[in-house]
């Protein structure tokens, strides 16, 4: 079973390819994604890596968490499931519409 990792404190110039190569030293990388700001397109400084197995994920965490990459100490841990508050980013009044009083 694969393991999804959170990677934080990524240098803004680091590419998904760079992360894939770095994490590939610890095992099989099935996906690499850096999260970008929707408005500017600029990296938000974090991303996600999916490793081929839990064992490879654990190796990547132990090897890369705290490791300096492009002048920054990476934060690497198992990604947590996103909490769903069912609001979809909107208020809970009027079916998601903003009420004007």
């Amino acid at each position: 079973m694969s393991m999804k990792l959170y990677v934080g404190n990524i240098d803004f110039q680091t590419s998904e390819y760079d992360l894939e190569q770095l994490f590939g030293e610890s095992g099989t990388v099935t996906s690499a994604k850096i999260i970008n700001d929707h408005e500017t397109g600029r990296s938000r400084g974090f991303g996600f890596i999916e490793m081929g197995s839990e064992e490879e994920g654990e190796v990547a965490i132990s090897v890369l968490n705290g490791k300096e990459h492009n002048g920054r100490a990476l934060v690497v841990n198992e990604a947590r499931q996103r909490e769903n508050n069912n609001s979809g980013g909107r208020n809970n009044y009027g079916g998601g519409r903003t009420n004007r009083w």
Side-chain angles (χ1 to χ4, degrees):
M1 181 179 219
S2 65
M3 182 179 203
K4 192 168 190 177
L5 305 177
Y6 164 84
V7 184
N9 204 31
I10 299 172
D11 175 72
F12 295 120
Q13 304 305 314
T14 300
S15 69
E16 291 173 352
Y17 177 78
D18 295 334
L19 283 184
E20 188 173 339
Q21 295 301 303
L22 180 65
F23 279 79
E25 296 173 11
S26 297
T28 304
V29 175
T30 58
S31 69
K33 178 71 176 161
I34 293 178
I35 305 304
N36 294 320
D37 182 270
H38 292 292
E39 293 180 20
T40 65
R42 184 177 171 207
S43 168
R44 293 184 62 195
F46 71 94
F48 298 94
I49 297 289
E50 190 167 352
M51 300 298 292
S53 70
E54 288 185 28
E55 293 80 17
E56 291 170 324
E58 293 295 337
V59 169
I61 291 170
S62 67
V63 170
L64 297 171
N65 186 40
K67 180 178 180 174
E68 188 172 313
H69 183 261
N70 291 341
R72 300 182 86 166
L74 295 177
V75 175
V76 182
N77 52 47
E78 186 172 1
R80 290 178 284 188
Q81 188 73 21
R82 218 174 166 181
E83 291 184 24
N84 186 1
N85 63 6
N86 294 325
S87 69
R90 302 177 185 172
N91 65 35
N92 288 325
Y93 300 106
R97 296 185 187 138
T98 303
N99 290 326
R100 301 195 190 275
W101 303 97

